[in-house]
Amino acid sequence: MSIRHGLLALLDQGPRYGYQLRSEFEARTGATWPLNVGQVYTTLGRLERDGLVEAAGEDDEGHQFYSVTDEGRAELRRWFDTPVPRTNPPRDELAIKLAMAVAIPGVDVAAVVHGQRRHSMQALQDYTRLKGRALAADDGSGKDLAWLLVLEQLIFQTEAEIRWLDHCESRLAQHAERAAATPSEPAAPPARRAAKSRDRGRT
Protein backbone atom coordinates (compact mmCIF):
# COMPACT_ATOMS: atom_id res chain seq x y z
CA MET A 1 0.00 0.00 0.00
CA SER A 2 1.40 3.41 -0.98
CA ILE A 3 1.19 5.50 2.18
CA ARG A 4 1.87 8.58 0.10
CA HIS A 5 -1.12 8.01 -2.17
CA GLY A 6 -3.27 6.70 0.65
CA LEU A 7 -2.87 10.01 2.48
CA LEU A 8 -3.63 11.92 -0.71
CA ALA A 9 -6.84 9.91 -1.10
CA LEU A 10 -7.94 10.81 2.43
CA LEU A 11 -7.05 14.47 2.00
CA ASP A 12 -9.04 14.53 -1.24
CA GLN A 13 -12.11 14.24 0.99
CA GLY A 14 -11.20 17.35 2.98
CA PRO A 15 -8.47 18.86 5.20
CA ARG A 16 -7.18 16.68 8.04
CA TYR A 17 -4.37 16.67 10.56
CA GLY A 18 -1.87 13.89 11.16
CA TYR A 19 -3.64 11.86 13.83
CA GLN A 20 -6.90 11.97 11.87
CA LEU A 21 -5.11 10.65 8.80
CA ARG A 22 -3.53 7.86 10.78
CA SER A 23 -6.86 6.84 12.35
CA GLU A 24 -8.75 6.92 9.04
CA PHE A 25 -6.01 5.05 7.18
CA GLU A 26 -6.09 2.24 9.75
CA ALA A 27 -9.90 2.22 9.81
CA ARG A 28 -10.02 1.80 6.02
CA THR A 29 -7.46 -1.02 6.06
CA GLY A 30 -8.49 -2.68 9.33
CA ALA A 31 -5.08 -1.74 10.82
CA THR A 32 -3.54 -4.34 8.50
CA TRP A 33 -0.71 -1.89 7.82
CA PRO A 34 -0.46 0.18 11.01
CA LEU A 35 1.09 3.63 10.86
CA ASN A 36 2.70 5.74 13.52
CA VAL A 37 2.07 9.47 13.70
CA GLY A 38 5.71 10.25 12.98
CA GLN A 39 5.52 8.31 9.73
CA VAL A 40 2.39 10.23 8.75
CA TYR A 41 3.96 13.63 9.40
CA THR A 42 7.16 12.65 7.59
CA THR A 43 5.10 11.69 4.54
CA LEU A 44 3.08 14.90 4.79
CA GLY A 45 6.31 16.90 4.83
CA ARG A 46 7.45 15.22 1.61
CA LEU A 47 4.06 15.75 -0.02
CA GLU A 48 4.21 19.43 0.92
CA ARG A 49 7.76 19.69 -0.43
CA ASP A 50 6.56 18.19 -3.73
CA GLY A 51 3.63 20.60 -3.96
CA LEU A 52 0.98 17.89 -3.57
CA VAL A 53 -0.42 19.16 -0.24
CA GLU A 54 -0.36 22.45 1.58
CA ALA A 55 -0.85 23.68 5.13
CA ALA A 56 -4.47 24.61 5.80
CA GLY A 57 -4.27 26.31 9.17
CA GLU A 58 -4.64 25.10 12.75
CA ASP A 59 -7.60 24.47 15.02
CA ASP A 60 -8.02 25.78 18.56
CA GLU A 61 -6.01 22.84 19.91
CA GLY A 62 -3.03 23.55 17.68
CA HIS A 63 -3.53 20.71 15.22
CA GLN A 64 -1.92 21.50 11.87
CA PHE A 65 -4.34 20.69 9.04
CA TYR A 66 -3.31 19.83 5.49
CA SER A 67 -5.26 19.95 2.25
CA VAL A 68 -4.55 18.46 -1.16
CA THR A 69 -3.53 20.78 -4.01
CA ASP A 70 -4.66 20.58 -7.65
CA GLU A 71 -1.34 18.94 -8.45
CA GLY A 72 -1.96 16.46 -5.64
CA ARG A 73 -5.39 15.59 -7.07
CA ALA A 74 -3.85 15.03 -10.48
CA GLU A 75 -1.23 12.73 -8.93
CA LEU A 76 -3.97 10.83 -7.11
CA ARG A 77 -5.93 10.33 -10.35
CA ARG A 78 -2.79 9.07 -12.08
CA TRP A 79 -2.33 6.56 -9.28
CA PHE A 80 -5.90 5.30 -9.59
CA ASP A 81 -5.63 5.09 -13.39
CA THR A 82 -2.27 3.26 -13.45
CA PRO A 83 -2.15 -0.51 -12.82
CA VAL A 84 0.08 -1.67 -9.98
CA PRO A 85 3.26 -2.94 -11.72
CA ARG A 86 4.14 -6.62 -11.36
CA THR A 87 7.44 -6.47 -13.23
CA ASN A 88 9.35 -6.02 -9.95
CA PRO A 89 7.45 -8.10 -7.39
CA PRO A 90 8.09 -7.30 -3.73
CA ARG A 91 10.38 -9.61 -1.79
CA ASP A 92 8.52 -12.55 -0.28
CA GLU A 93 10.18 -13.80 2.90
CA LEU A 94 8.63 -17.27 2.64
CA ALA A 95 9.78 -17.79 -0.95
CA ILE A 96 13.29 -16.61 -0.02
CA LYS A 97 13.32 -18.91 3.02
CA LEU A 98 12.41 -22.01 0.98
CA ALA A 99 14.82 -21.09 -1.82
CA MET A 100 17.63 -20.90 0.74
CA ALA A 101 16.50 -24.02 2.62
CA VAL A 102 16.68 -26.35 -0.40
CA ALA A 103 20.29 -25.27 -1.03
CA ILE A 104 21.60 -25.73 2.52
CA PRO A 105 22.45 -29.25 3.75
CA GLY A 106 20.86 -30.29 7.01
CA VAL A 107 17.70 -28.19 6.70
CA ASP A 108 14.48 -30.19 6.88
CA VAL A 109 12.66 -28.41 4.08
CA ALA A 110 9.54 -30.55 4.49
CA ALA A 111 9.32 -29.50 8.14
CA VAL A 112 9.62 -25.84 7.10
CA VAL A 113 6.75 -26.32 4.64
CA HIS A 114 4.58 -28.15 7.20
CA GLY A 115 5.18 -25.53 9.86
CA GLN A 116 4.31 -22.69 7.51
CA ARG A 117 1.16 -24.48 6.33
CA ARG A 118 -0.08 -24.83 9.90
CA HIS A 119 0.54 -21.13 10.51
CA SER A 120 -1.12 -20.10 7.24
CA MET A 121 -4.15 -22.30 7.92
CA GLN A 122 -4.58 -20.65 11.32
CA ALA A 123 -4.28 -17.21 9.73
CA LEU A 124 -6.88 -18.17 7.12
CA GLN A 125 -9.30 -19.28 9.83
CA ASP A 126 -8.75 -16.00 11.69
CA TYR A 127 -9.35 -13.92 8.56
CA THR A 128 -12.48 -15.91 7.77
CA ARG A 129 -13.87 -15.31 11.25
CA LEU A 130 -13.16 -11.59 10.93
CA LYS A 131 -14.97 -11.53 7.59
CA GLY A 132 -17.96 -13.28 9.13
CA ARG A 133 -18.14 -10.68 11.91
CA ALA A 134 -17.80 -7.82 9.44
CA LEU A 135 -20.60 -9.18 7.25
CA ALA A 136 -22.83 -9.75 10.28
CA ALA A 137 -22.30 -6.14 11.37
CA ASP A 138 -22.85 -4.71 7.88
CA ASP A 139 -25.83 -2.37 7.95
CA GLY A 140 -25.82 -1.69 4.23
CA SER A 141 -24.24 1.74 4.56
CA GLY A 142 -20.97 0.59 3.02
CA LYS A 143 -18.86 2.04 5.84
CA ASP A 144 -17.01 -1.29 6.21
CA LEU A 145 -16.63 -1.94 2.47
CA ALA A 146 -12.98 -0.85 2.36
CA TRP A 147 -12.10 -3.14 5.29
CA LEU A 148 -13.96 -6.06 3.66
CA LEU A 149 -12.04 -5.63 0.42
CA VAL A 150 -8.71 -5.62 2.28
CA LEU A 151 -9.77 -8.61 4.38
CA GLU A 152 -10.85 -10.62 1.34
CA GLN A 153 -7.55 -9.84 -0.35
CA LEU A 154 -5.78 -11.32 2.68
CA ILE A 155 -8.01 -14.39 2.51
CA PHE A 156 -7.34 -14.97 -1.21
CA GLN A 157 -3.63 -14.33 -0.71
CA THR A 158 -3.42 -16.84 2.14
CA GLU A 159 -5.41 -19.43 0.18
CA ALA A 160 -2.97 -19.03 -2.71
CA GLU A 161 -0.03 -19.40 -0.30
CA ILE A 162 -1.45 -22.66 1.04
CA ARG A 163 -1.92 -24.01 -2.50
CA TRP A 164 1.66 -23.05 -3.29
CA LEU A 165 2.90 -24.84 -0.16
CA ASP A 166 1.01 -27.95 -1.27
CA HIS A 167 2.74 -27.65 -4.63
CA CYS A 168 6.13 -27.25 -2.90
CA GLU A 169 5.50 -30.44 -0.94
CA SER A 170 4.71 -32.34 -4.16
CA ARG A 171 7.75 -30.91 -5.88
CA LEU A 172 10.01 -31.94 -2.99
CA ALA A 173 8.57 -35.46 -3.02
CA GLN A 174 9.16 -35.77 -6.79
CA HIS A 175 12.72 -34.57 -6.38
CA ALA A 176 13.36 -37.10 -3.59
CA GLU A 177 11.96 -39.93 -5.74
CA ARG A 178 14.17 -39.01 -8.69
CA ALA A 179 17.22 -38.74 -6.45
CA ALA A 180 16.52 -42.20 -4.97
CA ALA A 181 16.05 -43.76 -8.42
CA THR A 182 19.29 -42.34 -9.82
CA PRO A 183 22.16 -44.83 -9.24
CA SER A 184 25.14 -43.33 -7.54
CA GLU A 185 28.49 -43.48 -9.34
CA PRO A 186 31.01 -45.95 -7.85
CA ALA A 187 33.67 -44.30 -5.80
CA ALA A 188 37.09 -44.04 -7.39
CA PRO A 189 39.75 -46.24 -5.73
CA PRO A 190 42.08 -44.40 -3.37
CA ALA A 191 45.37 -43.36 -4.90
CA ARG A 192 47.33 -45.42 -2.34
CA ARG A 193 45.47 -48.62 -3.23
CA ALA A 194 46.11 -48.03 -6.94
CA ALA A 195 49.82 -47.55 -6.27
CA LYS A 196 50.05 -50.83 -4.32
CA SER A 197 48.38 -52.66 -7.20
CA ARG A 198 51.01 -51.31 -9.61
CA ASP A 199 53.77 -52.43 -7.24
CA ARG A 200 52.40 -55.98 -7.05
CA GLY A 201 52.25 -56.14 -10.83
CA ARG A 202 55.96 -55.38 -11.13
CA THR A 203 57.11 -58.18 -8.76
Side-chain angles (χ1 to χ4, degrees), residues 8 14 17 19 31-34 41 44 51-52 71 81 89 95 98 104-105 108 116 128 141 147 162 173 179 181 189:
L8 282 177
Y17 57 87
Y19 189 81
T32 304
W33 301 283
Y41 278 109
L44 285 171
L52 304 181
E71 187 176 349
D81 293 340
L98 290 182
I104 299 177
D108 189 342
Q116 183 64 46
T128 303
S141 66
W147 164 226
I162 292 170

Side-chain angles (χ1 to χ4, degrees), residues 11-28:
L11 289 172
D12 190 46
Q13 298 177 342
R16 285 164 171 76
Y17 57 87
Y19 189 81
Q20 285 179 318
L21 289 168
R22 174 199 175 193
S23 299
E24 290 190 33
F25 183 93
E26 294 187 351
R28 298 286 182 91

